Amino acid sequence: MKTFSTLKLFLATGLLVGMLSSCAPTVTTYQLKPVSGDVTMIDGRSVTKAEENGVGVVASFEREDLEFVTLDIEIKNYTNQPIEVNPADFRLVALGAAQDTLSDPRNPALPLHRVAADPTYEAGRIGFKRKQEEKRLKRAKVFNTILMVAAVASDVSSSSRSRSYGEYVNNRITHNVAYQGIAIKRAIDYGTFSSRMQRYDYEEYRWRELALRANTLAPGESVRGFVYLPKVQDARYLAISYNLPGRATVPLLFQQELVRQRKARQRR
């Protein structure tokens, strides 16, 4: 039956993709360290300090976080006036090994420039992401039902025809594999749904509790939080700047290293 042949092809392809994706030999991690400003070691971590026109920034690399590299940032107001702090005012320009400016792959005429994530905007997108994931699971359920109906129809049709014992055994094996494959796909769909929803829970916590938030900083006050910058894999240096419109631009230079490690095999 043509429908069942399509079903077998789908299952075989899915299993092959799963096997290949589980055999990745290495994993790449991002490591950053400051190489400008007043760099010192605090609790085993390189920390840099920079100041311009009464605006001070203390920065260190915290960790790699999903699609971002995370900086632990403290902003200090040494002026006699309030200043408006916004994490989206952090920007980076990607540099090569010679600290030359890299071109943006999307527009080679422009430098490779990125803006830090805006926690307020990102937190507002979590609800949309959850709804999209719920829709994806519903589509997967419908498709799984179609696969099951096709498998049952094929099973009933082939079982009703007279055949030798060997053909009967082969038919049972083939359809049992199909039923198991559909069950595995269903489990993977639900596992993916659960994993992504947990990720969105973490993202919501990240944007609301960990990230540096936009606020007004009074004279003599400081504020601290994480700033999330998009990953730029080809960069060897990140020229990061905190731009306070009309008042100051505080420069920070970080060296970036990609560390490739062999992926540990899971024990059975």
Side-chain angles (χ1 to χ4, degrees), residues 10-253:
F10 170 80
L11 292 174
T13 303
L15 291 173
L16 178 60
V17 171
M19 291 173 61
L20 292 176
S21 62
S22 65
C23 295
T26 60
V27 60
T28 301
T29 59
Y30 288 68
Q31 297 291 330
L32 275 65
K33 65 177 181 180
V35 291
S36 70
D38 183 12
V39 180
T40 186
M41 294 294 294
I42 300 178
D43 295 331
R45 177 183 299 183
S46 295
V47 180
T48 184
K49 301 178 183 178
E51 181 182 341
E52 183 175 325
N53 200 21
V55 178
V57 176
V58 180
S60 63
F61 173 65
E62 177 66 19
R63 62 175 177 267
E64 176 184 353
D65 195 332
L66 301 176
E67 70 270 37
F68 300 102
V69 289
T70 308
L71 299 184
D72 185 352
I73 296 289
E74 183 178 8
I75 299 177
K76 300 182 179 181
N77 182 6
Y78 295 117
T79 73
N80 56 7
Q81 296 179 350
I83 61 174
E84 299 297 325
V85 173
N86 189 338
D89 289 332
F90 279 87
R91 293 170 170 80
L92 71 84
V93 175
L95 307 179
Q99 298 190 18
D100 52 319
T101 303
L102 300 181
S103 298
D104 193 331
R106 296 176 293 189
N107 189 343
L110 298 177
L112 184 46
H113 172 271
R114 296 290 183 266
V115 179
D118 183 341
T120 302
Y121 170 76
E122 296 293 344
R125 295 182 62 232
I126 298 300
F128 172 77
K129 289 182 177 181
R130 289 191 176 115
K131 289 181 180 179
Q132 290 296 104
E133 194 57 33
E134 290 170 355
K135 291 180 180 178
R136 188 205 66 80
L137 182 60
K138 289 180 180 179
R139 291 194 297 268
K141 287 180 179 179
V142 172
F143 188 54
N144 291 339
T145 299
I146 294 173
L147 291 177
M148 181 59 74
V149 170
V152 171
S154 175
D155 194 359
V156 172
S157 175
S158 59
S159 297
S160 63
R161 294 193 299 267
S162 59
R163 60 184 68 246
S164 67
Y165 178 74
E167 290 175 327
Y168 170 80
V169 171
N170 288 335
N171 180 65
R172 296 303 336 129
I173 292 175
T174 299
H175 285 88
N176 287 339
V177 169
Y179 294 139
Q180 291 176 7
I182 295 171
I184 291 172
K185 181 183 179 303
R186 184 182 291 113
I188 290 174
D189 290 334
Y190 278 95
T192 300
F193 173 80
S194 176
S195 176
R196 290 180 180 175
M197 295 299 276
Q198 289 179 6
R199 167 174 168 163
Y200 299 149
D201 289 342
Y202 165 70
E203 288 186 11
E204 184 174 42
Y205 170 76
R206 174 178 67 183
W207 300 128
R208 297 191 185 281
E209 303 296 335
L210 301 179
L212 182 69
R213 303 301 300 273
N215 60 77
T216 301
L217 200 58
E221 290 186 347
S222 64
V223 64
R224 184 177 178 180
F226 292 159
V227 171
Y228 296 87
L229 296 163
K231 291 179 179 177
V232 183
Q233 183 173 354
D234 294 335
R236 293 299 170 262
Y237 291 89
L238 301 179
I240 302 168
S241 61
Y242 174 60
N243 304 288
L244 190 61
R247 181 175 293 274
T249 298
V250 184
L252 303 165
L253 183 64

